[in-house]
Amino acid sequence: MKLLRAPLSALAVKIHSALKGHGFSRAELGRNKTVALAPEGSLSMRSRLSRPIDALPFAIGLTFFVLVPLFGQNSPPQPSPQSPAQSAPSNPNGHVIFSRSTDENGQTTTVGPAAQLPSTAAAPVATDAEREAVTFTAYDLDVHLQPARQSIAVRAEITVRNDGTAPLAHIPLQISSTLDWEHIVVGIRDAAFETATLNSDADHTGQLHEAAVPLAVPLAPGASLTLRVLYSGAIPASAQRLLALGAPEAVALNSDWDQIDLDFTGLRGFGNVVWYPVSSVPALLGMSPAASSMAWQTAGAARVDSARLFDEIGQLKLRSQAAHFRLRLTCEFPLGRAPTVALINGIPAPLKILSPPLESGETSGFATATIEEQSLGFTAPSLFVAIRTPAQMRNATLWTLPEDAPAASSWSAAESAVTPLLASWLGSHPRSPLTILDLPDPGDAPFETGALLATPLGGQVSATPESAELETVLVHALTRAWLAAPEHAPPAWLDEGLATFMGTLWIEKQQGRTRALESLEADRQALALAEPASPGDNAGQPLTQAWSPVYYRTKAAYVFWMLRDLVGDAALSQAFRAYIAAQDKAGSGGPDAFEKLLEAKSGASSEHDLRWFFSDWVDADKGLPDLSIDHVVTEPAQSGQTLVGVTLSNSGYAGAEVPVTVRTQQTSVTQRILVPARGSLIRRIPIQGAPTQVELNDGSVPETEASVHVTNLGGTVNSKQ
């Protein structure tokens, strides 16, 4: 069909100029193309796209629904080689309706008609080895949202590196199963790729669409490659992966609340909804009989391995933390429903609103935002666009729903309560203001990334201004704001570990040291189970390269408690402040940056060297110590004192400096003793009076079995968890 070439109105010219660089200009509209229908239950964009482009409402010639750039416009179009899977003609107007029958092994079959995609593989082409080898080093995304239709269209330039040991014949690229790959270019040539559906709970639908991009020349180990891709579809709310486990629908939807919608768009990224290209080994959380009655797309065998899934989530963030990230957002909205806040990777992105004059008769406006190039850091790319009302606090901005506006006073009171503690430890103000975004449903699960906390503001957590739970939530979130900066994101063990540590300091301030250590003890057993029995068993997860929360939260928080006891509050606080200030300077990082700062602030000498500690607890994973009181001997000393000889041993592979306390009925004496890995020692401790008890460790040093050991000198030996 010949396209009409009507002249652009003044408003259209203005909007066209404003959208340059967002990937939606007229020069990129080569043909009138429809977008493949998303799976059952999704909205279609086909009716709008079937009309001439010049007839689309508002801003003649702009394609907010098509997003079909002419890849390789500087060279003649290259013919695409045809594979056997492409021999059958595709049906561009066919509706895709899938249903899946799942057996106990997760095998799937399709019932009913199915429209052919441009090249659909009968089984996945890429291998797990290829998926594991691909590391993304750059994302450059043009994202177009049409919230009224729950749709997204993305043009992306991505750079990948082969971190495997063998050349790659394919580049696996994965997106959510409600999105479809449309166009992929390698160099200047269109790729004749095949797509397959994978069973994977990395996405809320429980499935991914994978394009296995063939390479004319295999990608050598260590080599990089840039691809340009185009994909689109809809992202409605879906909790299919949790429903397949048998979870109640309301509970599942409160957990998997990701969607594109008019008043709220929330896309949390890999592990929740895969809205950008990734490469991962597919795994499922589990399977229940409920899955057999649900509609699924055709896929291969399901791999039920929840541990693998959580490892994939962490490892993908670790591999991509140095990736460069840039995003240009365009969002179409009905007049009177303009979004008021946009956040990209937790960073507020100022919105530019482009609305037509009332007399134009147009019904849609556009909102644009951009995040320029930055390092991704240990986070999954996320995107939030919402209609909310701001409420300013001292170090944070609340974006609330109208019905939750009264809760702002509770949050403000909690911020005022916890800020003095944070300021005394970390400095007078955060590097980035905290953004608190009100989630749509009071039961929705909170989410944090960088200096963003997405949570229901009117939920139970904010019931009263005195809520200890609310204050604890804000201590954690505000600590991350103190550390956060787009240019130099801190490593996960400092970011999450310090936030967890500050949370325990708040508990100590309110309820005492014992209660604070008990809060850490609640997660110690999980850490002990995760740790290798010995360094020879496996490398474990050094904190500087940790991808599991039990390491970069729990173990890191323990590390800060131990460092606090080693160097004192003042030196540790000064090191935190110096580290935060240094992150604003280019080239100030490095895995040992914090260690050097702490040594400088503590004045560490040869008699109190910290190198052994970082070697055993941070730079390598040597497991946890396994301490014990082997023997206690008492003998009288002068002036009514008693000399208590304590034999201590450590059968673990990590050394530990622990408190040893001797008690009488009237008093107690505590000494800190360094117990070497795989070693033992004897320490004599004098005390006034008759000793009644010896205690090793107070819970501040995590151990494999117990974190407090008590010997009663009447002959009873006791180890407390």
Side-chain angles (χ1 to χ4, degrees):
M1 176 169 53
K2 184 177 181 180
L3 302 182
L4 300 177
R5 296 295 180 184
L8 291 175
S9 66
L11 176 64
V13 170
K14 177 182 177 182
I15 296 172
H16 173 235
S17 175
L19 297 182
K20 282 183 178 179
H22 287 254
F24 306 111
S25 67
R26 291 179 63 89
E28 293 170 322
L29 305 178
R31 57 185 180 272
N32 182 22
K33 181 177 178 181
T34 58
V35 177
L37 190 70
E40 182 178 8
S42 300
L43 296 174
S44 169
M45 296 190 289
R46 194 178 303 278
S47 60
R48 290 293 293 271
L49 296 175
S50 62
R51 290 178 284 169
I53 293 176
D54 288 66
L56 291 177
F58 188 32
I60 299 171
L62 296 177
T63 77
F64 279 82
F65 316 118
V66 242
L67 187 57
V68 186
L70 288 178
F71 290 113
Q73 290 181 33
N74 296 328
S75 60
Q78 301 294 325
S80 301
Q82 296 295 313
S83 66
Q86 292 175 295
S87 57
S90 62
N91 178 6
N93 296 314
H95 286 227
V96 184
I97 301 175
F98 294 102
S99 64
R100 181 170 84 166
S101 174
T102 308
D103 62 21
E104 67 274 9
N105 297 317
Q107 296 290 340
T108 60
T109 58
T110 299
V111 179
Q116 285 188 319
L117 294 175
S119 181
T120 303
V125 174
T127 66
D128 283 352
E130 290 175 323
R131 294 170 182 132
E132 288 182 302
V134 172
T135 295
F136 287 78
T137 61
Y139 287 96
D140 192 348
L141 308 177
D142 286 308
V143 176
H144 171 168
L145 298 178
Q146 191 186 6
R149 291 178 175 266
Q150 298 188 294
S151 68
I152 183 173
V154 181
R155 186 191 69 169
E157 183 172 277
I158 53 178
T159 302
V160 299
R161 184 179 63 236
N162 179 4
D163 281 346
T165 58
L168 290 177
H170 298 90
I171 301 296
L173 301 176
Q174 301 160 357
I175 50 177
S176 175
S177 64
T178 60
L179 306 177
D180 289 308
W181 293 106
E182 296 187 27
H183 199 183
I184 298 177
V185 172
V186 180
I188 62 172
R189 295 181 181 275
D190 292 352
F193 60 92
E194 292 185 305
T195 62
T197 300
L198 308 178
N199 289 318
S200 174
D201 283 342
D203 187 77
H204 60 172
T205 64
Q207 294 187 312
L208 297 172
H209 280 167
E210 180 179 72
V213 184
L215 301 179
V217 178
L219 187 65
S224 295
L225 179 69
T226 297
L227 305 93
R228 286 174 287 165
V229 303
L230 177 70
Y231 60 93
S232 65
I235 303 181
S238 173
Q240 185 133 309
R241 63 174 176 178
L242 298 182
L243 295 175
L245 291 173
E249 183 175 11
V251 173
L253 286 171
N254 281 150
S255 177
D256 281 356
W257 41 256
D258 303 81
Q259 64 175 318
I260 297 173
D261 208 355
L262 194 55
D263 292 335
F264 176 82
T265 290
L267 306 175
R268 287 176 286 181
F270 185 82
N272 292 287
V273 58
V274 185
W275 63 275
Y276 52 88
V278 301
S279 179
S280 66
V281 176
L284 297 182
L285 291 167
M287 191 72 70
S288 79
S292 61
S293 62
M294 300 169 65
W296 300 90
Q297 299 181 36
T298 302
R303 182 203 311 262
V304 178
D305 187 348
S306 59
R308 179 63 194 236
L309 175 63
F310 290 117
D311 280 348
E312 280 293 308
I313 293 171
Q315 289 172 356
L316 196 68
K317 291 193 287 187
L318 185 66
R319 295 202 309 267
S320 302
Q321 63 182 349
H324 299 289
F325 188 90
R326 185 169 183 252
L327 186 146
R328 293 163 300 282
L329 171 68
T330 304
C331 178
E332 183 198 8
F333 60 87
L335 292 186
R337 304 294 295 276
T340 56
V341 60
L343 299 121
I344 302 170
N345 300 343
I347 303 169
L351 283 167
K352 183 176 183 180
I353 304 299
L354 305 168
S355 297
L358 295 177
E359 61 271 17
S360 69
E362 301 292 350
T363 60
S364 297
F366 304 113
T368 64
T370 299
I371 287 291
E372 294 299 338
E373 188 169 305
Q374 58 184 258
S375 294
L376 193 53
F378 189 83
T379 186
S382 60
L383 175 62
F384 290 85
V385 183
I387 301 175
R388 297 291 189 269
T389 301
Q392 193 63 46
M393 303 195 311
R394 177 180 174 184
N395 293 308
T397 301
L398 289 166
W399 291 90
T400 72
L401 289 164
E403 60 269 27
D404 292 337
S409 59
S410 297
W411 286 83
S412 182
E415 186 212 25
S416 297
V418 303
T419 294
L421 173 70
L422 296 172
S424 67
W425 272 87
L426 306 177
S428 60
H429 60 276
R431 294 172 73 198
S432 300
L434 176 66
T435 300
I436 305 175
L437 181 64
D438 199 356
L439 290 177
D441 190 276
D444 285 342
F447 169 73
E448 282 186 279
T449 183
L452 167 65
L453 169 63
T455 186
L457 296 185
Q460 296 179 354
V461 73
S462 57
T464 64
E466 300 79 26
S467 170
E469 183 181 1
L470 178 56
E471 292 166 352
T472 302
V473 167
L474 273 177
V475 169
H476 191 279
L478 281 167
T479 300
R480 298 192 67 183
W482 246 268
L483 287 166
E487 300 82 7
H488 306 287
W493 78 276
L494 279 165
D495 183 23
E496 281 284 358
L498 180 54
T500 304
F501 171 69
M502 293 304 300
T504 60
L505 290 187
W506 176 253
I507 296 174
E508 181 186 48
K509 178 180 172 64
Q510 301 299 110
Q511 304 176 50
R513 179 182 172 98
T514 299
R515 180 67 190 93
L517 292 176
E518 286 174 353
S519 69
L520 276 177
E521 173 64 24
D523 294 322
R524 181 199 55 80
Q525 188 173 4
L527 174 61
L529 290 172
E531 287 281 19
S534 74
D537 286 352
N538 61 71
Q541 295 183 38
L543 282 188
T544 53
Q545 294 295 314
W547 63 81
S548 298
V550 73
Y551 285 92
Y552 63 70
R553 286 185 186 140
T554 305
K555 187 174 184 178
Y558 270 115
V559 162
F560 290 128
W561 268 94
M562 290 185 284
L563 287 172
R564 181 192 187 195
D565 289 335
L566 279 168
V567 304
D569 288 8
L572 185 59
S573 172
Q574 290 171 16
F576 287 151
R577 291 166 178 253
Y579 180 84
I580 292 170
Q583 294 311 291
D584 293 324
K585 302 175 183 177
S588 62
D592 60 348
F594 180 73
E595 177 185 356
K596 291 178 178 178
L597 286 170
L598 184 59
E599 288 175 342
K601 299 301 179 182
S602 63
S605 61
S606 57
E607 61 188 33
H608 203 155
D609 195 347
L610 296 178
R611 284 178 294 181
W612 72 268
F613 181 86
F614 279 86
S615 175
D616 282 10
W617 287 91
V618 179
D619 301 330
D621 186 5
K622 298 184 180 180
L624 300 179
D626 188 2
L627 304 171
S628 64
I629 302 174
D630 293 341
H631 195 55
V632 178
V633 176
T634 63
E635 58 183 71
Q638 295 179 348
S639 304
Q641 286 193 327
T642 301
L643 198 61
V644 182
V646 184
T647 303
L648 307 175
S649 65
N650 178 5
S651 59
Y653 290 84
E657 185 178 291
V658 289
V660 177
T661 301
V662 178
R663 294 187 175 91
T664 68
Q665 295 290 346
Q666 294 80 27
T667 188
S668 65
V669 173
T670 298
Q671 292 187 8
R672 299 196 62 83
I673 301 173
L674 175 58
V675 187
R678 311 295 292 175
S680 63
L681 53 80
I682 299 175
R683 179 62 61 89
R684 292 174 173 81
I685 303 174
I687 190 169
Q688 191 73 30
T692 59
Q693 187 182 81
V694 176
E695 179 183 274
L696 168 65
N697 201 355
D698 61 353
S700 58
V701 177
E703 299 184 48
T704 55
E705 296 294 336
S707 291
V708 181
H709 310 269
V710 175
T711 295
N712 294 313
L713 297 186
T716 303
V717 178
N718 180 38
S719 289
K720 298 189 294 184
Q721 298 297 317

